[in-house]
Amino acid sequence: MSRILLSLGLRCLIIASLPAAEAQQPQILVFAAASLTEAVQEVGASYEKTARVMVRSSFDSSSTLARQIEAGAPADVFFSADTKWMDELQSRGLIQVASRRNVLGNSLVLIAPAQSPIRLKIAPHFPLAAALSDGRLATGDPDSVPAGIYARAALTKLGVWDGVASRLARAENVRVALLYVARGETPLGIVYATDALADKGVRVVDTFPADTHEPIVYPIALTQSAQSQAAGFVAYLTSPQGQAIFVKHGFTVLTQ
């Protein structure tokens, strides 16, 4: 009995000591676009096995994250889904310019719920509004969210924007738009190809031609207030090991 009590006592002591031990371990905070969620989480977990650093991540639209950094959020790394919001932080002196690098590419797709019978071929003046019937088109808010900005550009070039502009389900980030479609709350949505891969509740109807919108580029940079350990994480993320994880999740790796 005394041995059991001693064992239980030691276990309780170990458990009680874990938070303090973790608190002493360096932590970095990564602000990353919502479309990067699974890939960045996997890279972070992989990096933690090679370095005594805990990687914490916050995912949302690039616009929301950039504004949070502008407001003083203690992010060490900013990983955006477009160059616009990285440019915004750079213009305000909030990133380390020498650390900035374009890392990934993606493509834009039209999606429907997995069981939807909708069939469309993306082309100039394709019948998108008719396909919506009395429903809405889910995408990121085109006034601020990168996925929505790319979507508006593509639909405008294809000549169908005016027919659907008033029928958008404007999501605060691309993963919310994905969720609208996966739940069947909207008949169609526009997200990144990698988002469609991440949710079995949707299927790709068609892919937007690359020349209908600006190239989808994901830049990364250290913030001005970044801890020294953050540079090691960025180096790992852009290494062959890190890049392989992003490729697995459907991203393309950009060469400098």
Side-chain angles (χ1 to χ4, degrees), residues 119-150:
R119 294 287 185 272
L120 283 173
K121 180 65 179 174
I122 295 174
H125 308 291
F126 73 111
L128 179 59
L132 290 173
S133 185
D134 60 351
R136 292 184 173 271
L137 176 67
T139 193
D141 187 337
D143 292 332
S144 58
V145 178
I149 294 171
Y150 293 126

Side-chain angles (χ1 to χ4, degrees), residues 20-136:
E22 289 185 355
Q24 293 173 2
Q25 188 171 351
Q27 296 188 29
I28 60 170
L29 178 58
V30 179
F31 273 20
S35 53
L36 293 163
T37 299
E38 293 83 7
V40 167
Q41 287 176 335
E42 186 172 341
V43 171
S46 179
Y47 181 65
E48 288 179 342
K49 296 176 182 177
T50 70
R52 289 188 54 79
V53 177
M54 296 181 69
V55 181
R56 296 292 175 258
S57 302
S58 178
F59 301 100
D60 209 324
S61 70
S62 302
S63 54
T64 296
L65 298 172
R67 288 165 179 158
Q68 290 174 353
I69 292 172
E70 289 176 346
D76 297 292
V77 177
F78 181 48
F79 202 172
S80 176
D82 72 353
T83 57
K84 170 188 172 182
W85 290 106
M86 188 66 79
D87 290 344
E88 169 74 11
L89 293 190
Q90 182 170 328
S91 71
R92 294 177 179 271
L94 294 173
I95 64 166
Q96 298 179 31
V97 179
S99 72
R100 179 174 176 172
R101 179 177 176 183
N102 292 337
V103 180
L104 303 172
N106 212 332
S107 54
L108 198 67
V109 297
L110 182 68
I111 60 169
Q115 304 306 317
S116 169
I118 292 176
R119 294 287 185 272
L120 283 173
K121 180 65 179 174
I122 295 174
H125 308 291
F126 73 111
L128 179 59
L132 290 173
S133 185
D134 60 351
R136 292 184 173 271

Side-chain angles (χ1 to χ4, degrees), residues 178-190:
L178 179 69
L179 192 60
Y180 288 159
V181 180
R183 289 178 173 175
E185 295 174 14
T186 65
L188 291 167
I190 299 176

